[in-house]
Amino acid sequence: MTAVRAAALLASPIDIGREQAAREAARELSGAGYQHEPLFDRLQREISQFLGDLMSGGGTGVGGVTSLVVIAVVLAVLAVLLLWALRRFSRDPRTESGAVFGQRERTAAEHRAEAERLAAEGSWAGAIQERLRAIARELEERAIVGPMPGRTAVELAEVAGQALPPHAADLRAAARLFDDVTYGGLGGTREGYLSLTALDERLRSARASVDA
């Protein structure tokens, strides 16, 4: 028995009693066919019914105007969601994950001072991040490496290692440490921060390779 038959019971001219007809309709609607209806099909059916009810005003009168307003609002919301999704997926992925620098631009001295402040608080992960940013900005300010928005720590180590071959291995280790505390979920340590501090000091007095 289908929903049509259940509805027919309620409107049946046979004198079986309104309460009995209601019980029959409820029993049919609670059958296995309705209880096991897939969620997607149910949502599709309810949305179709909702839109059909909106359009039942025929586009005229108060009901028709209200339907048009509701449909316009729904379309506007969908358009906003679509634009948001397009903007999100069109961003350079390196600015979302892996980039050394954040949105705010600071000098090497500012990054270095922030690293020391975080280290004094025992925030080793943040101190490691800021110390590597100080190294990267120092190399850019000295024109050892060229500025490149969205550069990752690994890319920095590769480019800087070519310009400063004696420090290439230490730069790669620093890049791995930065990625571990930033994207790997690992906590920073005092020893890790001190290793970057020592590398920062060595690089400040290093000279770029003539070949590079």
Side-chain angles (χ1 to χ4, degrees):
M1 186 181 292
T2 64
V4 175
R5 182 179 175 185
L9 286 173
L10 292 175
S12 175
I14 301 176
D15 188 12
I16 62 174
R18 181 176 297 275
E19 293 183 0
Q20 183 179 353
R23 286 195 297 270
E24 289 291 332
R27 183 173 62 83
E28 291 299 327
L29 292 175
S30 62
Y34 293 96
Q35 294 296 327
H36 298 285
E37 181 182 10
L39 178 60
F40 178 78
D41 293 342
R42 181 180 178 184
L43 291 175
Q44 186 178 20
R45 175 171 56 80
E46 292 182 354
I47 291 173
S48 298
Q49 181 179 354
F50 173 71
L51 293 177
D53 292 340
L54 288 179
M55 298 302 295
S56 62
T60 60
V62 177
V65 173
T66 302
S67 300
L68 293 176
V69 170
V70 173
I71 293 174
V73 171
V74 171
L75 292 177
V77 171
L78 291 176
V80 170
L81 292 176
L82 179 60
L83 289 175
W84 174 80
L86 290 175
R87 290 184 60 184
R88 181 178 180 182
F89 286 109
S90 64
R91 293 176 183 172
D92 186 347
R94 291 189 303 180
T95 62
E96 300 295 328
S97 174
V100 173
F101 296 112
Q103 296 297 323
R104 180 182 174 185
E105 184 172 345
R106 294 178 175 178
T107 65
E110 289 174 333
H111 283 298
R112 202 170 284 118
E114 181 66 11
E116 293 174 355
R117 184 187 69 80
L118 292 170
E121 296 176 354
S123 300
W124 301 115
I128 288 171
Q129 292 170 336
E130 288 300 316
R131 182 61 70 165
L132 185 71
R133 288 165 182 157
I135 291 173
R137 189 66 75 196
E138 178 78 20
L139 295 174
E140 290 181 357
E141 290 174 354
R142 294 172 57 195
I144 294 178
V145 300
M148 187 180 76
R151 173 183 279 143
T152 66
V154 173
E155 291 171 341
L156 171 69
E158 180 180 353
V159 176
Q162 293 174 359
L164 302 167
H167 305 283
D170 292 336
L171 284 165
R172 288 192 295 270
R176 286 194 298 270
L177 179 58
F178 177 88
D179 286 345
D180 285 344
V181 301
T182 306
Y183 309 107
L186 299 181
T189 63
R190 180 176 182 273
E191 291 73 16
Y193 173 71
L194 292 179
S195 68
L196 263 68
T197 301
L199 175 61
D200 186 18
E201 294 298 325
R202 292 195 300 272
L203 292 176
R204 293 174 71 179
S205 60
R207 292 182 178 274
S209 170
V210 174
D211 293 339

